[in-house]
Amino acid sequence: MTMATLQSRKRMERIGKACAHLLLVGAGVFFLAPLLWMLSTSLKPVEQTMAVPPQWLPHPFQWGNYGEAVRYIDFFRYTANSLIVCSLSVVGTLVSSSLAAYGFSRIEWKGRDAFFWVTVSTMMVPFPILMVPLYGLFRELHWIGSLKPLWVPAFFGSAFNIFLLRQFFLGIPKEINEAAQIDGCPEWRIWASLILPLSKPALSVVALFQFIYNWNDFLGPLLFLTRQKDFTLALGLQFFQSQNGGTQWHLLMAASVLASLPILALFAFAQRTFIRGIAMSGLKD
């Protein structure tokens, strides 16, 4: 191979990398555009929110929109309700899903694999199909109008989270269980003292997914909550949008930016562990 051919190949590789980077930057800008528009609108005077043509840069910047948005709705109460639901749901999901995943991956019992795939198949059942029977069940329990229907089901496991944790547990050497059993360690202690500490990346992924799901959930609170003081943040923002006969878009976007901050901060804080957990949770069988 001649020197000219090598230089030509290197030139083509550089061009290919440059095109790939440009494509990724373009895709990033495309997906960031709604977030940037929300941020821009949150800082605009009200008359600029519906201007034609659209105005990206506010003039002047209205930083007071954030304080006004917090005062306009019961923002801190809605946030507290969302945090209660999210925290309890995360705890319930981690405990129940990890227990089920441990049983599916580390304990031998008849029909285990068949029952596991039946569990996984429940992911194909959409929530709207379950709304009526769930509402009837919670009504009989006198839970309608409280936060319980939003977090209690998390203590009964989630098919996707069970699947994710099972795949991770399969990658942990079984010799750990065997050595612990020889020392007389019961299964629940192996799960709590050995498996869970080794599974922090996967557990962080499950916790993050569950937190984001409950934080953004709108249909569940709309279905089960009846009093304004119990609204979660997602439902409270919708109520904020529809009250007083019109939408104050600059205040709504300011409240939406504030509602997005916990998710962005959580992902930024747990990004490394999150990516590690996704990478290590392979599709083993």
Side-chain angles (χ1 to χ4, degrees):
M1 186 177 296
T2 65
M3 185 63 67
T5 304
L6 288 174
Q7 291 178 349
S8 176
R9 177 172 294 182
K10 289 181 179 180
R11 189 180 303 111
M12 293 300 297
E13 290 178 354
R14 288 196 295 268
I15 293 174
K17 289 181 179 179
C19 292
H21 282 95
L22 287 175
L23 182 62
L24 291 174
V25 170
V29 172
F30 177 78
F31 285 106
L32 278 175
L35 181 62
L36 295 176
W37 181 255
M38 179 177 68
L39 181 61
S40 171
T41 305
S42 71
L43 295 171
K44 291 178 181 178
V46 62
E47 61 273 9
Q48 294 181 15
T49 59
M50 303 298 290
V52 179
Q55 183 175 341
W56 275 92
L57 291 178
H59 182 75
F61 284 84
Q62 298 277 38
W63 296 101
N65 289 347
Y66 290 95
E68 188 176 349
V70 170
R71 292 190 297 270
Y72 194 63
I73 63 173
D74 201 351
F75 187 85
F76 293 111
R77 177 182 288 274
Y78 297 157
T79 302
N81 291 337
S82 292
L83 288 175
I84 291 172
V85 171
C86 292
S87 300
L88 292 174
S89 295
V90 166
V91 172
T93 297
L94 290 178
V95 173
S96 59
S97 297
S98 62
L99 273 173
Y102 181 84
F104 283 130
S105 62
R106 316 298 290 188
I107 302 175
E108 297 288 342
W109 46 281
K110 187 176 180 179
R112 183 189 68 175
D113 293 340
F115 195 79
F116 169 73
W117 289 113
V118 170
T119 302
V120 171
S121 67
T122 61
M123 288 192 292
M124 294 185 291
V125 181
F127 179 72
I129 293 179
L130 305 175
M131 286 194 305
V132 173
L134 282 177
Y135 188 90
L137 173 63
F138 294 139
R139 184 181 59 186
E140 291 298 320
L141 295 172
H142 305 289
W143 286 0
I144 299 299
S146 71
L147 297 177
K148 291 180 181 179
L150 303 179
W151 61 265
V152 170
F155 283 82
F156 293 88
S158 166
F160 174 76
N161 294 327
I162 291 172
F163 171 78
L164 186 66
L165 290 174
R166 173 190 178 265
Q167 302 309 112
F168 189 92
F169 291 171
L170 288 174
I172 300 175
K174 290 188 176 181
E175 288 77 9
I176 294 177
N177 284 62
E178 295 170 357
Q181 290 168 354
I182 291 174
D183 292 336
C185 191
E187 293 290 352
W188 67 268
R189 190 172 178 182
I190 297 174
W191 163 76
S193 301
L194 297 177
I195 301 301
L196 292 188
L198 294 172
S199 306
K200 289 180 181 179
L203 293 174
S204 68
V205 172
V206 170
L208 185 61
F209 281 168
Q210 189 66 30
F211 188 94
I212 292 175
Y213 170 79
N214 286 105
W215 187 266
N216 294 328
D217 185 26
F218 174 76
L219 187 56
L222 180 65
L223 183 64
F224 300 123
L225 300 181
T226 57
R227 297 173 297 183
Q228 183 181 344
K229 69 174 186 177
D230 295 325
F231 284 179
T232 59
L233 197 52
L235 187 58
L237 289 177
Q238 191 276 337
F239 177 77
F240 169 51
Q241 178 180 352
S242 60
Q243 65 179 336
N244 292 338
T247 301
Q248 300 290 327
W249 287 109
H250 60 313
L251 301 183
L252 177 63
M253 292 302 158
S256 299
V257 169
L258 294 176
S260 302
L261 290 180
I263 297 298
L264 295 175
L266 182 63
F267 184 79
F269 179 75
Q271 181 179 9
R272 183 174 299 178
T273 307
F274 172 76
I275 294 175
R276 183 184 172 203
I278 289 290
M280 295 178 66
S281 298
L283 301 181
K284 299 177 183 179
D285 197 5

